[in-house]
Amino acid sequence: MNSQQEFVLRTIEERDIRFVRLWFTDILGYLKSVAVVPAELESAFEEGIGFDGSAIEGFSRVSEADTIARPDPSTFQLMPFERQDTTDIARMFCDITMPDGQPSYADPRQVLRRQLKEAANDGFTCFAHPEIEFFLVESLNTDGRPPTPTDNGGYFDQAVTDKAPHFRFDAMNALESMGISVEFSHHETAPGQQEIDLRYADVLTMADNIMTFRYIIKKTALRNGVRSTFMPKPFAEYAGSAMHTHLSLFEGDTNAFHDPDDEFSLSSTARQFIAGILHHAPEFTAVTNQWANSYKRLMFGNEAPTAATWGVSNSSAMVRVPTYRLGKVSSRRVEVRSPDSACNPYLAYAVLVAAGLKGIREGYELPDPAEDDISKLTRRERRALGYQDLPGSLDQALRLMEQSELVAEALGEHVFEYFLRNKWREWQDYQAQITSWELRTNLDY
């Protein structure tokens, strides 16, 4: 037993913790949980917890149902809001393996681990810093009608008469209590829309943090008498919810993206990384924007990217190079603005890192930065400028993903095939509906 496992067992005994929740995610990014009592945790560290993988979305076939959840002691944290009487409850993330100890090909956490190992083989450590947007609404039980926002605020408005004026304060306290550092929080542009930015961490830790973030946000909303949603675009008239993610690569303690002699302090490594993301963006968009609703944000959302472009301080570009503190070496990073806050963070970060690394390995050339407001350009104008459009629907995104060697290699055969099957089924269900717009427009023909 290693020192981290011993620390967990000692803490559980000292704090008289009665239950530990073991967390993992399915392929679509839904959080799964199994609770164990402390007496079973030592054997869980040694042998894992067996479960029926065929019952989890996309995990395994019935003939290969035996699956093992192995708790990662480095992720041990006490859960806020979840005391039973005077007893604390804790959680740990798990790595999923097969009975022979081999990593499960269906575990999104293992998918990201594989990609980060590829980065490490190239000498890089990857860091991420996401800006996560979401909505607070009065209820999620709307019978298919638009929800009601909890406020009528706008960008950076101070909550005074909102239905949940203390929500962000409570959420930030809960996140900090779990060791998840928060940089900023504020009201976003749309009524009810919030943004909380997490302080940078290595990419695997950040993917875990995002899953925890979603859970904590939903719990905090409930405690404030409202509800939260990470749906990419719940309102036709307002901007959607993004998960703008700042990425950087380090070689040891050196920021591989920084070059003091470059106009924008961007190294050739950073330029090639950006070029890789732009080149492969159309084929990985189905992963970073995985729902039919995601494309309502990309096509019609304010400041949502419609094309694979980059720019310096250009919020309409898919990849933005921030110009804050250009001379500060540790701050040089790139911001990818296409992912929405309803993606599976493990898979989304895996394909982003894979695309960027391919750009570095193959020396992709970065085109000139976009200086236009790309969201206001027509398709013909974007083509004339040489910009490559992002997919305009889940249908288009899946067709491009099906042809992608990069995404297939990054996700692995099992996740790649299952993801496509699941999403084609979603698209067919979406197409099969008869919308109120169609009935209003065509019923009297």
Side-chain angles (χ1 to χ4, degrees), residues 129-422:
H129 149 52
E131 304 170 356
I132 309 175
E133 297 171 349
F134 56 95
F135 280 90
L136 291 182
V137 296
E138 293 186 8
S139 175
L140 299 177
N141 298 320
T142 66
D143 194 27
R145 294 184 297 273
T148 302
T150 56
D151 63 72
N152 290 313
Y155 193 62
F156 268 40
D157 277 359
Q158 174 63 45
V160 178
T161 59
D162 299 356
K163 291 199 171 180
H166 304 296
F167 167 82
R168 289 198 302 272
F169 177 81
D170 293 345
M172 290 170 68
N173 277 341
L175 291 165
E176 291 280 353
S177 75
M178 295 192 69
I180 299 174
S181 297
V182 176
E183 280 199 340
F184 309 107
S185 78
H186 60 85
H187 198 287
E188 255 297 336
T189 57
Q193 192 176 35
Q194 317 293 322
E195 177 178 311
I196 297 179
D197 301 354
L198 303 185
R199 183 172 173 78
Y200 77 91
D202 71 88
V203 168
L204 181 62
T205 297
M206 186 53 72
D208 290 342
N209 287 350
I210 291 168
M211 295 304 304
T212 305
F213 177 95
R214 290 176 182 164
Y215 181 85
I216 292 297
I217 291 302
K218 289 182 176 294
K219 294 288 288 188
T220 306
L222 280 168
R223 288 172 62 87
N224 279 266
V226 296
R227 299 294 186 270
S228 64
T229 176
F230 292 90
M231 182 178 179
K233 200 170 192 300
F235 301 99
E237 65 271 35
Y238 302 134
S241 291
M243 190 174 75
H244 303 153
T245 297
H246 298 250
L247 295 170
S248 57
L249 297 180
F250 275 70
E251 295 175 293
D253 294 328
T254 302
N255 188 342
F257 280 4
H258 187 268
D259 180 355
D261 298 324
D262 181 77
E263 179 183 5
F264 307 121
S265 299
L266 281 179
S267 68
S268 59
T269 297
R271 290 175 176 274
Q272 291 164 351
F273 186 89
I274 297 170
I277 287 178
L278 298 183
H279 181 82
H280 295 286
E283 61 201 80
F284 67 60
T285 295
V287 180
T288 56
N289 307 84
Q290 68 167 332
W291 305 100
N293 177 257
S294 297
Y295 297 85
K296 303 293 179 69
R297 168 186 162 256
L298 286 182
M299 297 306 295
F300 306 108
N302 297 341
E303 294 189 356
T306 54
T309 58
W310 77 286
V312 180
S313 296
N314 186 345
S315 295
S316 70
M318 177 186 161
V319 178
R320 185 179 78 95
V321 176
T323 55
Y324 315 118
R325 301 182 292 275
L326 278 177
K328 188 175 180 181
V329 176
S330 61
S331 294
R332 183 41 53 225
R333 61 197 188 276
V334 300
E335 177 190 358
V336 185
R337 297 176 62 83
S338 58
D340 58 45
S341 54
C343 67
N344 181 331
Y346 300 102
L347 302 186
Y349 286 166
V351 295
L352 286 173
V353 171
L357 290 177
K358 188 164 186 179
I360 295 170
R361 291 172 186 146
E362 300 190 9
Y364 286 11
E365 290 287 333
L366 186 65
D368 292 334
E371 297 178 352
D372 314 276
D373 183 347
I374 298 155
S375 63
K376 294 183 178 179
L377 299 177
T378 65
R379 177 180 293 182
R380 291 176 61 189
E381 289 171 332
R382 292 195 298 269
R383 286 184 176 178
L385 290 167
Y387 300 155
Q388 184 179 24
D389 276 348
L390 294 177
S393 67
L394 183 60
D395 173 42
Q396 293 179 17
L398 293 174
R399 292 179 191 277
L400 292 168
M401 178 178 163
E402 280 181 328
Q403 303 169 34
S404 174
E405 292 183 9
L406 177 128
V407 177
E409 291 174 2
L411 299 184
E413 180 182 359
H414 177 89
V415 173
F416 182 76
E417 293 295 337
Y418 175 81
F419 187 94
L420 284 169
R421 287 200 305 272
N422 180 280

Side-chain angles (χ1 to χ4, degrees), residues 35-111:
V36 298
V37 295
E40 297 299 319
L41 199 55
E42 187 170 348
S43 65
F45 282 139
E46 294 176 0
E47 303 171 2
I49 299 290
F51 67 97
D52 179 3
S54 66
I56 302 296
E57 192 76 11
F59 260 39
S60 58
R61 297 171 293 188
V62 172
S63 59
E64 302 169 334
D66 290 345
T67 314
I68 310 294
R70 298 184 182 275
D72 179 349
S74 70
T75 65
F76 176 83
Q77 286 288 351
L78 298 182
M79 295 291 295
F81 313 143
E82 306 229 347
R83 291 170 64 87
Q84 297 291 332
D85 298 324
T86 60
T87 301
D88 288 319
I89 293 175
R91 75 94 168 94
M92 280 183 285
F93 280 96
C94 293
D95 289 312
I96 308 302
T97 71
M98 306 309 290
D100 62 2
Q102 292 298 310
S104 169
Y105 41 70
D107 179 13
R109 203 167 188 256
Q110 301 280 26
V111 170

